[in-house]
Amino acid sequence: MSRSDDEFHAFVAERLDRWRRSAYLLCGDWHLADDLVSQALIKLHRSWSKARSADNVDAYAQKVLTRCWLTERGRRWRHLEQTHSDPPPRSYLPDDRVVDRLPLADLLRSLGPRQRAVLILRFYLDHSIEETAEILGVSPGTIKSQSARALQQLRIGTPR
């Protein structure tokens, strides 16, 4: 294995669980989340030399994952069959500060895809407004307005 492959594998190993959780929050399905992470890893590996030279490699990788999800949402065959499954069993014991994620996932699913992506990138993954705008390919002003609208919808309980 080359040095580049070793770097890639180390990078992925440190972040795989986080990507899987963020993919689940985006799509609401563990199986699809795994598919999205797999697609993102393939794309990331193909462009690893470009990715590792990016100013923020984590933001670059999240951009790839988020765009995989946005592309997947547009595929008609995904809308024909909806699968629902329980999340995989936890292999860790969360501390008291961890909030049950299922209600969060339900709330996020009540939002449109762009608003959901904005909230996950901004508040769950802690990306800046500028990083989120870059990942989604929109202006920072759009991120601000989408955040405000999404949070307002969650507060009043009337999604979309």
Side-chain angles (χ1 to χ4, degrees):
M1 216 181 328
S2 71
R3 182 173 179 255
S4 177
D5 284 340
D6 289 341
E7 285 177 1
F8 178 76
H9 288 287
F11 178 78
V12 169
E14 291 176 14
R15 294 156 178 86
L16 191 58
D17 288 336
R18 180 179 178 178
W19 292 337
R20 189 168 182 262
R21 287 190 308 270
S22 67
Y24 174 76
L25 288 174
L26 287 167
C27 69
D29 179 280
W30 283 109
H31 301 290
L32 179 55
D34 288 336
D35 290 347
L36 292 172
V37 170
S38 295
Q39 289 172 27
L41 288 175
I42 290 168
K43 290 179 180 191
L44 193 59
H45 188 263
R46 285 182 188 152
S47 62
W48 181 240
S49 61
K50 179 180 177 184
R52 71 179 180 191
S53 65
D55 290 339
N56 185 337
V57 183
D58 285 317
Y60 185 97
Q62 187 63 51
K63 179 183 203 176
V64 171
L65 177 61
T66 304
R67 291 202 174 160
C68 284
W69 173 66
L70 291 171
T71 299
E72 194 68 24
R73 276 196 44 78
R75 294 191 177 153
R76 178 161 165 65
W77 64 270
R78 279 280 183 200
H79 298 287
L80 298 177
E81 182 178 341
Q82 295 276 326
T83 58
H84 299 282
S85 65
D86 293 329
R90 291 183 175 162
S91 59
Y92 66 92
L93 296 173
D95 63 35
D96 292 337
R97 294 173 297 166
V98 176
V99 179
D100 186 9
R101 289 184 178 101
L102 292 177
L104 173 61
D106 289 340
L107 282 172
L108 289 172
R109 274 194 298 277
S110 73
L111 297 171
R114 291 283 178 171
Q115 289 179 341
R116 186 180 332 159
V118 167
L119 291 185
I120 291 168
L121 292 168
R122 285 284 294 127
F123 303 111
Y124 183 74
L125 297 173
D126 203 29
H127 286 287
S128 69
I129 291 171
E130 292 75 20
E131 290 170 337
T132 303
E134 171 63 26
I135 289 169
L136 294 176
V138 297
S139 71
T142 299
I143 298 303
K144 291 175 187 177
S145 66
Q146 288 290 312
S147 293
R149 287 185 188 124
L151 291 172
Q152 181 63 25
Q153 287 178 354
L154 292 178
R155 279 186 202 107
I156 61 174
T158 55
R160 291 193 196 136

